[in-house]
Amino acid sequence: MTIWNRRHVTMAAVALALGAYPAHAGAVLDRVMAAGTLKVATDANWAPQSFVNASNELDGFDVDVAKAIGKHLGVKVEFITPGWDIITAGHWAGRWDMHAGSMTPTKKRAEIFDFPAVYYYTPAAVAVHKDSKAKTPADLDGKVVGATSTSTFEAYAKKDLTLDAAGAPPFEYKLNPKEVHSYENSTTAFDDLRLGDGVRLDAVVSSLPSILDAEKAGYPIKQLGDPVFYEPLAVAIERGDPELCAKIADAVKAMKEDGTLSKLSEKWYGQDYSKTN
């Protein structure tokens, strides 16, 4: 083999090896722009944030936010709907480029994710069956509580919640459950709660918008007391592409300034959650 051929074989091997490692700065953005498509991971069963509507299409606040970000980038948006635990585990391996699904930025998650921008703040609350005799969260001491696996709601129920992102107000633990049952999403937890007070669950910790949406859908549940904490929620990407991070941050900033986020929040929640005041 000639020196020229050996050199090209070596270069090809190096390129192949590099392809097995996480993308270098700008690589994900380059891929998105070259394909003209931003692949976005979100939940398919978490109304009103993201859900499949009557036309069998993904819809909701998070979905609209992702579409608006894609518009600012000048690309179309393709949605992928993996489980929450799969999304939060990282190691996306190019299966999707961005997550728009109301993720709370924390120091622990920042070990594997970048959070380009917080796009809204939402209250978390406790839901009980309409027949529950509980008047306050303290009345649920020793009871069974459900929450989405690896979520801030589950962390709160287990008294292991850390909110260290900007804009997160302080909170107190108001629950002391005997057991915390983990679910794939809030809807499946509500499905168990709707069976009756204490049949499988005594309460569910979830986002207040999701609780209110479930009530509107006919679930025999009700909010118990005031919100238990407020969380800033952000767009997430895997660490390592500052160019993509900056582009998304610019898009969200523009959406705040032109009122897009306020309008979308009013559309889906009936109030403006894009601001803390």
Side-chain angles (χ1 to χ4, degrees):
M1 183 181 295
T2 66
I3 293 176
W4 186 90
N5 284 334
R6 286 199 301 270
R7 180 180 299 166
H8 278 70
V9 169
T10 301
M11 290 175 65
V14 170
L16 182 61
L18 287 174
Y21 290 89
H24 292 288
V28 180
L29 178 60
D30 287 346
R31 183 179 70 226
V32 168
M33 301 310 292
T37 301
L38 177 67
K39 294 182 179 180
V40 178
T42 196
D43 201 321
N45 197 25
W46 195 36
Q49 286 78 218
S50 50
F51 62 97
V52 178
N53 63 22
S55 300
N56 201 35
E57 298 174 338
L58 272 173
D59 208 352
F61 176 69
D62 285 339
V63 172
D64 280 353
V65 168
K67 289 178 179 178
I69 291 174
K71 183 177 180 181
H72 275 271
L73 267 61
V75 297
K76 63 181 181 179
V77 174
E78 176 185 331
F79 291 101
I80 297 92
T81 56
W84 175 258
D85 55 340
I86 296 174
I87 294 170
T88 54
H91 308 293
W92 294 350
R95 290 171 292 173
W96 52 86
D97 311 305
M98 184 184 88
H99 173 246
S102 304
M103 186 184 293
T104 305
T106 64
K107 289 181 180 178
K108 184 175 181 180
R109 286 175 175 165
E111 294 174 3
I112 53 177
F113 297 116
D114 283 327
F115 297 102
V118 169
Y119 60 106
Y120 79 120
Y121 303 80
T122 191
V126 178
V128 295
H129 192 273
K130 67 176 185 178
D131 294 334
S132 174
K133 300 297 191 294
K135 300 298 183 183
T136 69
D139 295 330
L140 297 172
D141 285 4
K143 301 293 187 177
V144 180
V145 174
T148 303
S149 175
T150 71
S151 69
T152 52
F153 312 124
E154 182 184 58
Y156 180 85
K158 292 182 176 180
K159 296 186 177 180
D160 190 32
L161 175 62
T162 301
L163 294 178
D164 42 34
F171 64 90
E172 297 179 359
Y173 291 111
K174 298 181 179 181
L175 288 176
N176 188 29
K178 176 181 68 176
E179 298 177 28
V180 178
H181 289 188
S182 300
Y183 290 85
E184 183 178 0
N185 51 58
S186 290
T187 301
T188 53
F190 292 148
D191 285 339
D192 272 1
L193 185 61
R194 75 188 301 179
L195 296 176
D197 182 34
V199 174
R200 290 186 180 174
L201 293 174
D202 297 289
V204 170
V205 182
S206 184
S207 73
L208 180 55
S210 293
I211 293 171
L212 297 177
D213 198 73
E215 286 187 63
K216 291 178 183 177
Y219 279 67
I221 66 175
K222 60 185 179 181
Q223 178 186 349
L224 181 66
D226 296 327
V228 290
F229 66 90
Y230 289 80
E231 57 181 341
L233 299 165
V235 178
I237 63 173
E238 282 197 300
R239 293 185 64 180
D241 197 316
E243 284 83 358
L244 177 62
C245 193
K247 286 286 187 180
I248 294 172
D250 287 345
V252 174
K253 180 181 178 182
M255 291 159 61
K256 288 180 179 179
E257 292 175 348
D258 67 15
T260 296
L261 283 177
S262 294
K263 291 177 183 177
L264 291 179
S265 182
E266 292 282 357
K267 171 185 174 182
W268 289 106
Y269 301 128
Q271 55 186 299
D272 188 2
Y273 284 142
S274 69
K275 303 172 184 176
T276 54
N277 49 39

